[in-house]
Amino acid sequence: MAVLRKASLLAPSRPEEILRPVNPWFIPLSFVVALLGNLVPLAGMAAMARPDFLALVILYWCIHEPRYVGVGVAWALGLVVDVADATVFGEHALAYAVLAYAAEYFRRRVLRFRRWQQAPQVALLLMIGAATVLLIRFVGGAPLPHWTYALPPLVGAVLWPLTSVLLLWPQRPARSSAER
Amino acid sequence: MHHVSDAPPPFFHRGPSPFARLAVFGLLSLALLFTDSRYGYLEGIRSVVAIALHPLQRIVQIPGETLAWVATYFTSQRELADEVASLKQQVLVQAPAAQGHELLRDENAALRALLAVHARFANAATAAEVLYTGRDPFSQKLFLNRGTDAGIKPGEAVIDQFGVVGQVTRAFPQMAEVTLITDKDHAVPVKVERSGIRGVFFGAGAGRMPELRFMASSSDVRPGDKLYTSGLDGIYPADLAVAQVTSVERETGQMFSRILCTPLAGVDRSGYLLVLRQGAAQLPRPDEPAEADAPKRGVRGKGRRSG
């Protein structure tokens, strides 16, 4: 069948497990945990290099489950972050909305790669989100930030394979005894 | 969406396209940005979300608290004995000052009464713990675990055992946001301890040293000088330690010298802070148009809103 042939062209080059559908409760839970990660009090270098866990998780769901998480959800979560970080309302909301849109635009491309190969692309996507925040701050008259401003997206990208594995865990098929 | 295979078949249709959604939410964000930074209409919503976030912020505290508890539990007897000994010694060293202090305070009160000067800041204060520090690299903020329920109000000064840490800029029911003295949009009126010269201490943002700005190059400021609040703003009580001058550069071409300082307080280290009540020292605040004289206020108008 033509459809099948087309599907095989689109499919990733490596064999893939057939995943179980995502539990809709798992998505909000992952957001809460990511937000907790953002709120943990840190100091010094750790605080400077801390990735935006929430952006990372939003990115994951936008790429893997675009039917559940898209621009709207990302925007609403951005508002929550604006309160938690005491920034102007709409700053992170806009950044996450742009991030979600970029993720939706690139998701097919990103999914064709292996996890560690996805990381550089994720770094780019996270940078787009960070750049949006930066742009808004520039409009508000902020000076050029320290170079460490680029650290969180990079650290986030390094953590991407781990994030993917963790968030995909509940969807992995149960191993039947016939299989192995 | 240029490729044929990208477009979902009609039976998978999922409402407006991502770009349409981005446009809608983007415009919404811009509207919010504008409304929030120009007019403070959204503080109500902010405090509602802040209350909803509060349980999460408590949960985040647990690992640190547990670690601290475990560490305390396993402190050895010897360490405790050492600490007691050093504390005793410290008390002895401070005893003369403390004994003299009572006398001096009474004398000072009497003199001030004679001069009909406003009483010094009231001693009322609320101890609070740092919940977490703001993640925003553009502003220096932290959050305390006490809020309006403990009587904390925006504008109150926050100190630690070494000196001024910052100022409460927003108060929620169970939480308060503190803008640190190192924040780019924060200024503290100070005086130099040695010479008594008044000036304004400006924060410079993360990783940059705060400055004592607009000091004429002839002014008597030396490295090592201590800066204390002058109390002229009516926000910070007078005579709280703020910073120490680290370097003074005088260039012949410049009208002002460049004076870099190091905050004395553990601005980014202290875990427990004290919020000082605004006491009798508070003067009636001038009307809003007077906001133009920016350096007189603890936080300049812009900083209070956009941080």
Side-chain angles (χ1 to χ4, degrees):
Chain A
M1 268 163 74
V3 177
L4 266 183
R5 209 176 309 133
K6 195 176 263 177
S8 66
L9 275 175
L10 278 174
S13 48
R14 71 206 137 91
E16 202 174 50
E17 290 169 311
I18 294 174
L19 298 170
R20 289 191 290 188
V22 63
N23 181 353
W25 279 107
F26 184 63
I27 298 178
L29 182 73
S30 67
F31 285 143
V32 170
V33 173
L35 195 58
L36 283 178
N38 278 5
L39 292 178
V40 169
L42 292 177
M45 201 59 200
M48 242 188 275
R50 160 167 39 195
D52 190 342
F53 292 106
L54 192 56
L56 203 61
V57 172
I58 288 174
L59 202 56
Y60 176 86
W61 291 123
C62 284
I63 287 174
H64 288 262
E65 296 290 339
R67 283 196 304 151
Y68 290 103
V69 179
V71 174
V73 174
W75 182 81
L77 287 167
L79 284 187
V80 175
V81 173
D82 281 330
V83 173
D85 280 3
T87 46
V88 188
F89 256 127
E91 186 181 297
H92 284 89
L94 182 60
Y96 286 175
V98 170
L99 183 75
Y101 175 72
E104 217 153 332
Y105 196 87
F106 287 117
R107 60 178 289 267
R108 285 155 209 282
R109 179 196 157 86
V110 172
L111 280 176
R112 288 185 58 82
F113 290 88
R114 289 167 181 282
R115 282 203 183 102
W116 60 268
Q117 287 170 328
Q118 291 171 1
Q121 305 178 47
V122 166
L124 189 74
L125 288 171
L126 289 174
M127 292 261 192
I128 291 174
T132 312
V133 172
L134 194 60
L135 203 67
I136 297 168
R137 301 312 295 237
F138 279 157
V139 173
L144 204 66
H146 213 238
W147 66 268
T148 49
Y149 189 71
L151 269 182
L154 294 179
V155 177
V158 171
L159 290 181
W160 172 259
L162 184 69
T163 314
S164 307
V165 170
L166 285 179
L167 292 180
L168 204 63
W169 200 264
Q171 283 172 259
R172 284 158 57 98
R175 278 185 191 165
S176 61
S177 51
E179 218 178 299
R180 263 162 224 210
Chain B
M1 309 287 119
H2 306 294
H3 208 266
V4 181
S5 60
D6 272 0
F11 50 89
F12 283 146
H13 204 63
R14 313 194 299 258
S17 75
F19 187 75
R21 284 185 222 194
L22 177 68
V24 169
F25 285 111
L27 285 179
L28 216 53
S29 312
L30 292 182
L32 277 178
L33 279 170
F34 184 74
T35 329
D36 196 26
S37 55
R38 287 274 167 258
Y39 322 99
Y41 295 153
L42 303 169
E43 292 304 299
I45 303 174
R46 197 180 274 275
S47 56
V48 169
V49 182
I51 293 167
L53 274 175
H54 191 253
L56 291 188
Q57 280 149 357
R58 289 307 310 171
I59 294 173
V60 161
Q61 292 304 103
I62 292 171
E65 279 167 9
T66 314
L67 269 182
W69 184 82
V70 171
T72 330
Y73 189 82
F74 288 108
T75 311
S76 73
Q77 195 130 16
R78 185 183 172 153
E79 271 173 58
L80 284 176
D82 284 354
E83 201 176 324
V84 167
S86 78
L87 284 176
K88 270 185 184 161
Q89 200 170 7
Q90 212 173 335
V91 167
L92 263 182
V93 170
Q94 287 168 353
Q99 284 156 16
H101 177 250
E102 296 273 306
L103 275 176
L104 284 175
R105 198 179 57 189
D106 292 348
E107 199 178 309
N108 193 25
L111 286 171
R112 278 182 170 267
L114 278 178
L115 291 167
V117 183
H118 282 282
R120 279 261 171 97
F121 62 91
N123 280 324
T126 312
E129 200 176 331
V130 177
L131 267 184
Y132 64 100
T133 48
R135 231 169 34 81
D136 181 11
F138 295 99
S139 64
Q140 297 277 297
K141 298 218 167 129
L142 54 80
F143 292 81
L144 300 178
N145 66 346
R146 296 293 184 83
T148 44
D149 55 347
I152 291 175
K153 290 189 288 291
E156 288 176 336
V158 181
I159 61 171
D160 71 356
Q161 67 267 43
F162 305 111
V164 177
V165 168
Q167 181 190 354
V168 176
T169 38
R170 279 196 190 106
F172 302 116
Q174 303 239 305
M175 205 169 71
E177 173 199 311
V178 177
T179 301
L180 303 179
I181 54 172
T182 47
D183 188 273
K184 189 176 70 70
D185 287 320
H186 195 280
V188 191
V190 292
K191 62 184 178 210
V192 179
E193 182 199 23
R194 188 176 47 80
S195 53
I197 294 176
R198 285 187 292 273
V200 184
F201 171 89
F202 285 87
R208 296 191 178 90
M209 285 177 94
E211 263 184 83
L212 189 61
R213 285 198 207 149
F214 310 122
M215 300 298 279
S217 40
S218 61
S219 56
D220 183 14
V221 181
R222 287 181 215 151
D225 279 354
K226 280 194 177 157
L227 305 179
Y228 283 77
T229 49
S230 61
L232 288 181
D233 53 353
I235 286 175
Y236 289 107
D239 299 330
L240 295 172
V242 178
Q244 188 159 27
V245 175
T246 20
S247 77
V248 180
E249 287 170 34
R250 292 192 172 88
E251 282 173 36
T252 39
Q254 299 288 323
M255 201 147 79
F256 302 117
S257 32
R258 184 174 155 78
I259 304 172
L260 297 177
C261 316
T262 318
L264 288 171
V267 171
D268 48 1
R269 296 184 300 274
S270 297
Y272 293 91
L273 301 174
L274 210 56
V275 182
L276 296 181
R277 280 302 133 78
Q278 276 169 351
Q282 181 76 353
L283 296 170
R285 172 151 303 193
D287 295 332
E288 273 304 300
E291 213 173 300
D293 54 349
K296 286 252 161 140
R297 307 192 44 177
V299 171
R300 283 175 287 166
K302 193 173 143 261
R304 251 181 46 210
R305 289 192 303 270
S306 67

